[in-house]
Amino acid sequence: MTAAPGKGVRPRTLARVAAVQALYQCEQNGETAETVIGQFIRHRIGALPGKPGVADGRVPEAHAPLFSRIVRVATEQQDVIDPMIVSLLPEAWPMARLDPVLRALLRAGGAELWMTDGPPPRVVINEYLDVAHGFLKEDAVQLGNAVLDRMARMLRPNDFAEAG
């Protein structure tokens, strides 16, 4: 995933990309969040001499504190976030049927929505939709949008009450 032409690299967006990748890795390899965070900080976040830009799974400009916080909250609150995701999925789409990247994305988005001191819910949703477009087919992006929107309304109802 690269920055769009004419746009600067967005460190917070790249932190979200890295968080989705890290949560995917945690699930696929059975590794702890702290192990994966450490691996990402050492090997994927931060510029390498002679290797600028996003390539080979690297996200050099990612905002490391946000990345770490998303991964930690997603794993620490997984017992709350996962059942919430399940409750918002269509009955025909159990959690195990989801693409593993979509599962990681919903966990990361859910974690960030859980953080009441973060950006407004619509910003979080839009950011994760940008990430989703880089990894998923359109039907999975639409499902992710619906689940994140409903999760945001559950976790931060006051942010939607004023907008109507």
Side-chain angles (χ1 to χ4, degrees):
M1 182 171 184
T2 59
K7 290 186 178 181
V9 175
R10 300 181 331 208
R12 295 178 70 78
T13 300
L14 293 175
R16 292 173 176 104
V17 171
V20 170
Q21 292 172 334
L23 291 168
Y24 174 87
Q25 183 175 324
C26 286
E27 180 180 55
Q28 295 301 306
N29 298 341
E31 296 172 315
T32 68
E34 292 307 317
T35 297
V36 174
I37 289 169
Q39 291 170 359
F40 270 67
I41 298 294
R42 283 190 306 278
H43 304 293
R44 293 188 181 196
I45 296 175
L48 289 176
K51 294 192 177 203
V54 177
D56 300 322
R58 292 192 46 75
V59 281
E61 302 296 328
H63 186 268
L66 177 61
F67 156 75
S68 299
R69 186 170 181 214
I70 293 168
V71 174
R72 283 188 182 108
V73 170
T75 55
E76 290 167 2
Q77 300 300 327
Q78 190 168 341
D79 290 345
V80 175
I81 293 171
D82 277 7
M84 189 177 302
I85 294 168
V86 168
S87 75
L88 299 171
L89 289 171
E91 200 170 305
W93 285 93
M95 187 85 149
R97 186 175 170 195
L98 291 179
D99 179 290
V101 174
L102 179 56
R103 218 172 15 249
L105 183 132
L106 292 173
R107 287 173 175 150
E112 201 162 352
L113 290 167
W114 183 271
M115 300 177 218
T116 57
D117 62 340
R122 287 184 174 91
V123 171
V124 173
I125 293 166
N126 286 334
E127 285 284 303
Y128 283 100
L129 289 179
D130 285 349
V131 174
H133 282 289
F135 294 103
L136 300 166
K137 293 181 180 175
E138 188 58 32
D139 60 338
V141 172
Q142 290 174 3
L143 178 60
N145 182 30
V147 171
L148 288 173
D149 181 71
R150 290 166 55 197
M151 192 181 308
R153 290 172 190 279
M154 288 174 68
L155 290 171
R156 301 216 206 142
N158 293 339
D159 290 319
F160 292 91
E162 299 165 7

